[in-house]
Amino acid sequence: MRDKYNALGLWSEYRFWRNKTKQIVDNSKKNYYKNMVKDSNDPKTLWKCLHSLNPKVKNTPYELATEDNNTTKSKKCIADTFNNFFTSCAEKLREQGSYTPVNKADFSNLSKFVKNKLHKHEKFSIPPVNMNELFNELAKLDINKASGMDNIGPKILRLSAPFIASPLTYIFNRMIDTGIYPSLLKNAKINISKRAEGKEFIEKITITETLHEEDH
């Protein structure tokens, strides 16, 4: 039934039978393992049952192709390669002249792709921000977290929540209505830190999004 409705494009019926099928499968698995544990007469059989629930996955070493057509398994070399690429790719694109400003970009292919994926009766919209919900989110901020690029810490945001919830709600809803998002909201911090692993020091890139911290 599920596949039949999927082929016919009847999405509400398809989702119903998909969820129904998943529920039946989940209940069957639950009863199967429940009976298996119940019928285990010795520790060996019980452990066999438990291992089947959490099978071991063999870890294979990562391998990266280098610029000279060789391969390396050195974790430090792999980390350095990724770090160098992601921290310099934007500048290289600018130097090559392949960077296209947003106001001159052609989004026709993207629009065509999206239209092909969406059915005529399906619509997508971002619901407006509710001031009470926004206030509750501000009140739940972890004061132990670091501040964003605006250097306004979460403790200040929590204390000022009664005063900034209303203007922030207005700003967010204007962004949704107009579809215009300030460029500062698209900024991110890139931190490169080193951690020891065995005898090597692995560089790790940490990218921190600052979408919720640039509006103040």
Side-chain angles (χ1 to χ4, degrees), residues 77-171:
C77 181
I78 293 174
D80 288 341
T81 302
F82 277 106
N83 287 346
N84 293 334
F85 174 79
F86 285 109
T87 55
S88 62
C89 58
E91 193 61 34
K92 288 181 179 178
L93 287 174
R94 291 180 183 274
E95 293 175 356
Q96 294 171 1
S98 56
Y99 169 75
T100 303
V102 175
N103 58 349
K104 296 182 179 180
D106 182 11
F107 295 103
S108 57
N109 290 333
L110 177 61
S111 300
K112 184 178 179 181
F113 173 79
V114 173
K115 288 180 180 179
N116 290 335
K117 292 297 181 181
L118 291 176
H119 298 276
K120 293 182 179 180
H121 63 279
E122 292 182 339
K123 294 183 179 180
F124 171 78
S125 62
I126 302 177
V129 177
N130 181 277
M131 187 177 71
N132 292 331
E133 293 178 355
L134 178 59
F135 174 82
N136 292 334
E137 292 299 322
L138 290 171
K140 292 189 296 184
L141 288 176
D142 187 351
I143 61 174
N144 296 317
K145 297 294 184 180
S147 60
M149 298 180 67
D150 52 11
N151 294 321
I152 300 177
K155 186 174 183 179
I156 298 297
L157 295 177
R158 283 185 60 171
L159 292 173
S160 59
F163 309 100
I164 65 175
S166 178
L168 282 182
T169 302
Y170 173 78
I171 293 173

Side-chain angles (χ1 to χ4, degrees), residues 27-210:
N27 288 335
S28 298
K29 287 182 178 180
K30 179 181 177 181
N31 293 330
Y32 171 77
Y33 286 110
K34 182 179 179 180
N35 293 330
M36 182 183 290
V37 172
K38 183 179 179 181
D39 297 338
S40 299
N41 298 321
D42 56 86
K44 183 178 180 180
T45 306
L46 178 60
W47 278 111
K48 183 179 180 181
C49 169
L50 296 177
H51 286 315
S52 66
L53 289 171
N54 187 26
K56 292 183 178 180
V57 179
K58 185 178 180 180
N59 294 325
T60 56
Y62 293 104
E63 193 173 78
L64 181 70
T66 59
E67 294 181 353
D68 53 359
N69 295 326
N70 293 322
T71 58
T72 179
K73 294 182 180 179
S74 168
K75 294 181 179 179
K76 184 178 185 305
C77 181
I78 293 174
D80 288 341
T81 302
F82 277 106
N83 287 346
N84 293 334
F85 174 79
F86 285 109
T87 55
S88 62
C89 58
E91 193 61 34
K92 288 181 179 178
L93 287 174
R94 291 180 183 274
E95 293 175 356
Q96 294 171 1
S98 56
Y99 169 75
T100 303
V102 175
N103 58 349
K104 296 182 179 180
D106 182 11
F107 295 103
S108 57
N109 290 333
L110 177 61
S111 300
K112 184 178 179 181
F113 173 79
V114 173
K115 288 180 180 179
N116 290 335
K117 292 297 181 181
L118 291 176
H119 298 276
K120 293 182 179 180
H121 63 279
E122 292 182 339
K123 294 183 179 180
F124 171 78
S125 62
I126 302 177
V129 177
N130 181 277
M131 187 177 71
N132 292 331
E133 293 178 355
L134 178 59
F135 174 82
N136 292 334
E137 292 299 322
L138 290 171
K140 292 189 296 184
L141 288 176
D142 187 351
I143 61 174
N144 296 317
K145 297 294 184 180
S147 60
M149 298 180 67
D150 52 11
N151 294 321
I152 300 177
K155 186 174 183 179
I156 298 297
L157 295 177
R158 283 185 60 171
L159 292 173
S160 59
F163 309 100
I164 65 175
S166 178
L168 282 182
T169 302
Y170 173 78
I171 293 173
F172 291 154
N173 285 330
R174 284 293 296 165
M175 290 164 52
I176 295 173
D177 292 338
T178 61
I180 300 174
Y181 295 82
S183 58
L184 287 177
L185 297 184
K186 304 171 186 177
N187 288 349
K189 285 183 177 180
I190 300 180
N191 298 321
I192 301 178
S193 59
K194 290 187 176 182
R195 61 183 177 85
E197 184 168 317
K199 296 182 179 180
E200 296 180 329
F201 281 92
I202 308 302
E203 289 187 349
K204 178 183 178 183
I205 292 182
T206 303
I207 300 178
T208 306
E209 297 292 346
T210 58

